[in-house]
Amino acid sequence: MNDSSTSGELADRLRTLLSRLSPGDRLPSSRELIKEYRVGPATVARAIAALAAEGAVVTRPGSGTYVAQRNRLRDAACDSDTDTDWQTVALTDRAVDTHLIAEPLGPPPAGTINMDGGYVHRSLQPTRALSAALARAARRPDAWDRAPAGGLMALRTVFARIVGGSVAPQDVLVTAGGQSALSIAFRAIAGPGSPVLVESPTYPRALAAARAAGLRPVPVPLDADGLRPDMLADAFAMTGARLLYCQPTFQNPTGTVLAPERRRQILDVARASGAFVLEDDFARHLGHGGAAPRPLVADDRDGTVVHVTSLTKPAAPSLRIGALVARGPVMERMRAVRLVDDFFVTRPLQEAALEVLSSPSWDRHVRSLGTALRERCAVLAAAVAQEIPGATLAGLPTGGLHLWVRLPSGVDDTVLVGAARQRGVAVSAGSRYFATEPPAAHLRIGFAATADHSELTEGARRLGAALTDLGPREA
């Protein structure tokens, strides 16, 4: 093979090699593969990543790549006489695209430093308060009764108070987390085939939820002050869209906050276009010590804004409690969608969430979490500047869980992510955050899912080493 050989050709040759090896056998090192097959480091990284995604190999940081154990259940299914080909015809083309949700390289191997997570580390979670709240909730006489479809009134009242403005409890619909809220809203507001305007870049799981609802995401650029109102007006005019999805506060992945002068402009543009604004306020409790701006919905005078909030990010992954806030017929539509989906959110979890939010310990937790996130953000930013040559921070965020890092010219972000796995650190490729072609290569690097500051520094060092491994861009 020569340097122009593709990673696919190398992967095919490695599959032949795997057929001669036994589960648990170690593959040649990356350096040995480069020498034997006369390819570059990026080609090797792509090929190994492809084999790992297939489940053919597993990587162990600091040790190497090994032949995976055979999946007996999968093999049994493949060897059975069951014929499911008829399903291909029955399902037609109604595909649900999960590639933006599923981890393309599979779960990270043991020992990997996780800088790709969207949740806070267990040490940052209010675990004791959550456990005590759930225990108290489960002991109530009505704990296992059916909950109201819209959610417990007391919990809706607390969410209304958090949002502020003139929002009332009847404007709140309790959901099973933020992702459920997004799915309900997309299906309720826009019909299949409709365009939906989204920030570029934006949250991949929102893109997945929109596409699962049959919508067509149309990107609108961001700058340092958030979504650009001039480009938004053009996008509404060109597409005829009736829905904008945005994250005005600590946007994922960039961390930007929509500038004060733009907040009213965004609402005015949407109102003039006869469109809704779906405001994802997932990071309200993830500020780094400063005050977060008021939600757009708090200043909405005419029902333009549908607001999404969630307790999952600042609390714990399994506290799947969120809320939708809206006024007018759109709320009735969303209530109908959720009733068809699952009737109501489990009562004990709602009661536990109410206990947590009503306790003075919640405010203390949010303050201490903000301090911890600010410190971690600073540590990681310094480590990125020192350890990753040529990387550029979009800015130091004042809230959220991630840094948005632009890579040097010529670097393929997906290849670097695969190479980073080989080095024992998991990060997220920036290309996942764009509805269309990305303008440049980026990484989203998290600072909340690691155990401590030392892991952040070591993770950045490993990431820099992975970038060095790739060497010059292949021709």
Side-chain angles (χ1 to χ4, degrees):
M1 299 178 73
N2 56 43
D3 286 336
S4 64
S5 299
T6 67
S7 59
E9 293 172 330
L10 177 58
D12 287 341
R13 295 203 174 193
L14 292 180
R15 290 186 188 96
T16 301
L17 173 62
L18 292 175
S19 68
R20 299 195 296 266
L21 299 176
S22 301
D25 287 350
R26 186 179 182 279
L27 269 68
S29 68
S30 295
R31 186 170 298 176
E32 291 169 332
L33 293 175
I34 290 169
K35 181 177 180 181
E36 178 176 353
Y37 293 103
R38 301 174 61 190
V39 295
T43 297
V44 171
R46 288 193 191 97
I48 295 296
L51 294 175
E54 296 170 6
V57 299
V58 293
T59 57
R60 298 172 186 167
S63 178
T65 302
Y66 295 82
V67 181
Q69 299 294 325
R70 287 175 58 84
N71 186 327
R72 296 179 181 177
L73 292 178
R74 183 189 63 195
D75 292 342
C78 292
D79 294 339
S80 72
D81 294 329
T82 303
D83 182 5
T84 59
D85 287 349
W86 65 271
Q87 294 184 3
T88 302
V89 178
L91 292 172
T92 65
D93 62 349
R94 298 189 303 274
V96 178
D97 186 357
T98 61
H99 83 279
L100 293 174
I101 297 177
E103 171 52 56
L105 298 181
T112 300
I113 296 176
N114 181 18
M115 302 173 78
D116 185 24
Y119 302 108
V120 298
H121 189 266
R122 187 176 300 165
S123 62
L124 301 178
Q125 298 169 13
T127 308
R128 292 180 62 184
L130 289 170
S131 298
L134 189 58
R136 288 193 297 270
R139 288 196 296 266
R140 293 181 179 176
D142 58 353
W144 301 101
D145 290 353
R146 174 172 176 160
L152 299 178
M153 182 55 67
L155 183 57
R156 294 163 70 188
T157 300
V158 172
F159 274 125
R161 186 178 69 246
I162 292 173
V163 172
S166 60
V167 172
Q170 60 265 28
D171 302 325
V172 178
L173 174 65
V174 177
T175 65
Q179 190 68 22
S180 173
L182 290 177
S183 179
I184 291 171
F186 280 130
R187 287 180 292 144
I189 297 172
S194 302
V196 53
L197 305 186
V198 299
E199 297 160 320
S200 183
T202 192
Y203 177 45
R205 296 188 178 186
L207 294 176
R211 287 174 174 146
L215 309 185
R216 296 183 292 107
V218 177
V220 181
L222 295 170
D223 61 21
D225 290 324
L227 192 65
R228 292 180 52 182
D230 56 334
M231 301 294 288
L232 178 63
D234 290 343
F236 273 126
M238 288 189 295
T239 65
R242 293 293 179 264
L243 176 61
L244 162 69
Y245 166 77
C246 63
Q247 306 164 84
T249 304
F250 312 136
Q251 198 258 2
N252 180 9
T254 65
T256 58
V257 176
L258 187 62
E261 65 274 10
R262 292 189 179 183
R263 301 174 76 82
R264 187 70 245 173
Q265 290 177 303
I266 296 295
L267 295 186
D268 288 344
V269 169
R271 183 69 185 90
S273 303
F276 288 96
V277 174
L278 181 55
E279 176 188 25
D280 189 347
D281 200 32
F282 77 99
R284 175 137 308 269
H285 301 294
L286 299 177
H288 296 175
R294 283 161 60 90
L296 295 181
V297 71
D299 299 315
D300 177 29
R301 299 187 296 266
D302 45 35
T304 297
V305 180
V306 174
H307 177 87
V308 175
T309 187
S310 172
L311 300 180
T312 306
K313 298 295 186 183
S318 283
L319 187 63
R320 305 301 302 174
I321 294 290
L324 282 160
V325 179
R327 302 180 180 92
V330 68
M331 176 53 87
E332 297 306 315
R333 180 75 64 83
M334 292 192 297
R335 285 195 183 106
V337 171
R338 85 82 35 85
L339 195 61
V340 169
D341 278 356
D342 57 10
F343 296 134
F344 57 89
V345 176
T346 179
R347 185 168 190 135
L349 204 56
Q350 289 194 63
E351 296 279 11
L354 179 59
E355 290 263 3
V356 170
L357 289 177
S358 302
S359 169
S361 66
W362 175 250
D363 288 336
R364 291 196 297 270
H365 165 68
V366 171
R367 288 195 298 271
S368 64
L369 177 61
T371 299
L373 293 178
R374 181 177 67 249
E375 293 172 351
R376 285 164 170 258
C377 180
V379 168
L380 180 58
V384 167
Q386 179 176 341
E387 301 288 351
I388 308 177
T392 306
L393 287 178
L396 197 64
T398 56
L401 307 175
H402 314 99
L403 293 181
W404 185 239
V405 179
R406 180 165 177 164
L407 296 172
S409 176
V411 176
D412 185 319
D413 58 349
T414 58
V415 173
L416 179 55
V417 167
R421 283 292 188 97
Q422 295 289 306
R423 282 283 185 172
V425 59
V427 293
S428 186
S431 52
R432 299 177 61 208
Y433 298 82
F434 292 90
T436 56
E437 298 83 1
H442 291 80
L443 293 180
R444 193 195 72 168
I445 310 177
F447 48 79
T450 54
D452 52 35
H453 293 184
S454 63
E455 280 200 347
L456 293 174
T457 303
E458 174 62 16
R461 188 197 66 78
R462 294 183 186 183
L463 187 56
L467 182 60
T468 301
D469 288 343
L470 296 184
R473 184 183 178 184
E474 290 186 296

